[in-house]
Amino acid sequence: MFLFYLSIQTMQIIEKRKYFFVISGILVLASLLIFFTWGLKLGIDFTGGVLLELDLKQNNVTATDFKEKMSELKLEGLTVQKAANQNNLVVRYISNDDDLNQKVLEKIKEVYPESVLERQEFISSVISGELKSKAFTAIGLAVIGIALYIAWAFRKVSYPVESWKYGISAVIALVHDIIITVGIFVYLGRFYGLEINLPFIAALLTILGYSVNDTIVVFDRIRENLLRAGSKDDFEATVNRSINETIARSINTSLTVIFVLVAMLLFGGEAIFAFSLALLCGVFFGTYSSIFVASALLVDLWKWKRR
């Protein structure tokens, strides 16, 4: 363990930053390519559809059982989960067809004669379009706010890199994390039918907060070392030393979060599966980018200015 810790402390991360840039570039380009080719598989929150809450008067009906009974209707985007009242099921599917909705109700009554429809809601495509617009706006405002805050927070460290460049580096790392996470969901939606709904947007916003927190820890150590050394030390060496001083903390903190997210994935059920998976991807790549991407970008910005 001590040897492993010692090897971490002497890693030449900045010196090998081109390799990490290549890895990140491949992942980002692949994610963008499949996003514009296939697109995300949107769920009921973004496409419009129907929500039903049913009391089936049976305690042993599972989501899988219900889906099998409804399979002949070939409902698009069908999701089934337990309601707060464990005897009830919440059913969602994509449809703007009144005839299909009527067939669904008739089929439910046929299979579960004693069932009671306790709630029925329709989500129109107009509302769904507004949700998509607000989701993109929320993410955009969050990114801009983060960039401005970091530029302000590091205003006292203007040498040898201007404070606003810390914000730019952090935002590039954040966009890197979001794009790769979205790319993974495009792939899963294409081949495994995984849909995204509002919890996925909440996960992306959470990723922004977590990832920038990890990045600021590294940047803050860079600031401390710069203020301590002044102009005596080479900037590249200072950044590399700062990363080595914080890498163990970043990995250990992320691992504790990852363990919780894996447990949520395994035991949290269908309702929070997409949310948990998005967070898991975001935490993993957020930790990677805060160590290997954000600070390395600072060094390249410094070198470009010198040239």
Side-chain angles (χ1 to χ4, degrees):
M1 178 66 77
F2 175 76
L3 291 176
F4 173 71
Y5 178 80
L6 186 63
S7 65
I8 287 179
Q9 295 300 304
T10 56
M11 285 178 63
Q12 296 301 316
I13 293 172
I14 296 300
E15 185 180 307
K16 296 178 173 61
R17 64 188 180 280
K18 290 182 180 179
Y19 299 110
F20 302 122
F21 286 162
V22 169
I23 294 171
S24 295
I26 291 172
L27 291 174
V28 168
L29 288 175
S31 297
L32 289 173
L33 178 63
I34 64 174
F35 174 77
F36 288 112
T37 304
W38 297 332
L40 286 161
K41 187 174 177 62
L42 301 177
I44 187 174
D45 289 340
F46 297 111
T47 60
V50 181
L51 182 149
L52 306 174
E53 183 171 346
L54 303 164
D55 183 357
L56 301 179
K57 303 299 182 182
Q58 299 179 26
N59 297 332
N60 58 347
V61 178
T62 65
T64 304
D65 294 336
F66 186 89
K67 285 182 177 181
E68 288 177 358
K69 294 290 193 299
M70 298 293 116
S71 60
E72 66 181 58
L73 296 177
K74 297 180 180 178
L75 298 175
E76 186 180 354
L78 176 62
T79 62
V80 183
Q81 63 191 73
K82 289 286 187 180
N85 178 355
Q86 290 297 308
N87 293 328
N88 291 9
L89 288 181
V90 175
V91 179
R92 294 180 176 87
Y93 61 93
I94 298 171
S95 172
N96 290 312
D97 185 347
D98 291 337
D99 291 336
L100 177 60
N101 296 336
Q102 187 60 38
K103 288 179 181 177
V104 171
L105 294 176
E106 290 173 358
K107 183 66 176 178
I108 291 172
K109 206 65 180 175
E110 175 190 331
V111 178
Y112 305 102
E114 298 179 357
S115 63
V116 176
L117 178 61
E118 297 198 345
R119 180 162 57 113
Q120 184 174 21
E121 297 179 5
F122 298 93
I123 302 174
S124 71
S125 56
V126 174
I127 295 174
S128 301
E130 186 179 349
L131 286 175
K132 280 188 278 189
S133 175
K134 287 183 176 179
F136 285 117
T137 302
I139 293 173
L141 290 175
V143 170
I144 293 170
I146 287 169
L148 293 175
Y149 170 74
I150 293 176
W152 178 82
F154 288 84
R155 66 194 183 282
K156 293 183 179 179
V157 189
S158 58
Y159 179 86
V161 176
E162 294 86 348
S163 61
W164 62 268
K165 291 182 180 178
Y166 286 86
I168 292 297
S169 299
V171 166
I172 292 173
L174 290 177
V175 172
H176 162 280
D177 304 338
I178 294 296
I179 289 176
I180 295 176
T181 301
V182 169
I184 291 171
F185 272 76
V186 170
Y187 177 84
L188 294 175
R190 176 74 175 184
F191 294 104
Y192 298 96
L194 184 62
E195 298 176 347
I196 66 156
N197 284 300
L198 283 180
F200 176 74
I201 304 302
L204 293 185
L205 291 170
T206 306
I207 290 167
L208 290 176
Y210 183 89
S211 182
V212 77
N213 176 68
D214 221 18
T215 302
I216 285 179
V217 169
V218 181
F219 282 1
D220 202 47
R221 184 56 60 90
I222 293 173
R223 175 173 59 180
E224 290 175 3
N225 287 334
L226 284 173
L227 292 174
R228 188 181 300 118
S231 59
K232 292 182 292 184
D233 292 347
D234 178 68
F235 182 66
E236 184 173 340
T238 300
V239 172
N240 193 74
R241 184 171 75 253
S242 302
I243 294 173
N244 280 299
E245 289 172 355
T246 56
I247 188 172
R249 177 264 183 203
S250 296
I251 292 175
N252 290 335
T253 303
S254 297
L255 281 176
T256 59
V257 178
I258 286 171
F259 291 149
V260 174
L261 293 173
V262 169
M264 290 171 62
L265 272 178
L266 296 176
F267 307 110
E270 184 180 357
I272 61 170
F273 181 82
F275 177 79
S276 303
L277 182 59
L279 280 182
L280 181 62
C281 296
V283 168
F284 178 82
F285 287 106
T287 304
Y288 165 82
S289 67
S290 66
I291 297 171
F292 300 109
V293 177
S295 301
L297 284 170
L298 271 181
V299 173
D300 274 352
L301 289 172
W302 169 68
K303 290 201 168 188
W304 290 337
K305 178 183 176 182
R306 292 182 69 191
R307 294 195 191 106

